[in-house]
């Protein structure tokens, strides 16, 4: 991939499929990586979604200031991904789906709104009561 095509960074869209009964175990392995990745200086945003009709279908979108080549060489190779991948990949009931998209720049950027308040009703949130 040409570096110029990622002048504004990139967006990584990932979907994984685990058995619904493994969703909690998946999030237990995922949350520590999510917490570290979202705090990386090159990470613009990181948002996670779950299919309400199939709790084992989990998707996320990661926006980064860098290119897919950078991500493959410098981000996904960080030590904190190793345990997550070893734990979660055997849970997959379908192949992981992942696609990189190039960001088109400020003209195509919607205003970012403040995040929702604490996740008191979310059973997967580490801050839930």
């Amino acid at each position: 991939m040409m570096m110029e095509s990622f002048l504004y960074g990139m967006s990584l869209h990932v979907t994984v499929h685990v058995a619904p009964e493994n969703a909690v175990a998946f999030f237990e392995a995922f949350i520590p990586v999510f917490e570290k990745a979202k705090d990386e200086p090159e990470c613009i945003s990181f948002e996670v979604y779950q299919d309400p009709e199939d709790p084992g279908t989990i998707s996320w979108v990661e926006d980064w200031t860098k290119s897919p080549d950078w991500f493959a060489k410098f981000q996904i190779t960080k030590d904190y991904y190793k345990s997550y991948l070893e734990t979660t990949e055997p849970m997959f009931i379908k192949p992981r789906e992942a696609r990189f998209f190039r960001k088109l720049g400020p003209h195509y950027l919607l205003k970012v709104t403040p995040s929702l308040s604490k996740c008191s009703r979310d059973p997967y949130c580490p801050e839930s009561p």
Side-chain angles (χ1 to χ4, degrees):
M1 293 183 195
M2 292 181 55
M3 198 63 156
E4 296 80 25
S5 67
F6 293 94
L7 176 65
Y8 297 108
M10 60 96 179
S11 186
L12 171 60
H13 297 222
V14 179
T15 298
V16 297
H17 304 272
V18 300
E21 61 270 17
N22 285 334
V24 170
F26 174 84
F27 278 106
E28 287 173 353
F30 178 82
I31 289 170
V33 172
F34 169 78
E35 292 294 331
K36 289 179 180 167
K38 73 180 181 65
D39 290 337
E40 295 286 357
E42 298 85 3
C43 185
I44 299 168
S45 66
F46 195 139
E47 191 164 6
V48 183
Y49 308 89
Q50 186 176 36
D51 185 329
E53 295 179 15
D54 178 7
T57 298
I58 302 154
S59 297
W60 60 90
V61 176
E62 303 175 41
D63 288 329
W64 295 86
T65 60
K66 303 290 186 175
S67 70
D69 289 339
W70 170 88
F71 189 87
K73 289 177 188 171
F74 301 108
Q75 182 58 33
I76 197 69
T77 57
K78 292 190 175 180
D79 287 340
Y80 60 81
Y81 286 95
K82 185 177 181 181
S83 176
Y84 156 75
L85 293 170
E86 289 172 352
T87 301
T88 61
E89 286 180 340
M91 294 182 196
F92 296 171
I93 58 175
K94 293 181 186 176
R96 173 183 24 244
E97 302 159 25
R99 291 188 64 192
F100 290 103
F101 294 89
R102 68 183 170 99
K103 295 177 72 60
L104 297 179
H107 181 74
Y108 295 97
L109 179 64
L110 179 64
K111 178 179 83 170
V112 177
T113 58
S115 61
L116 299 174
S117 61
K118 298 289 181 192
C119 42
S120 61
R121 296 185 319 247
D122 181 354
Y124 303 113
C125 179
E127 299 169 7
S128 291

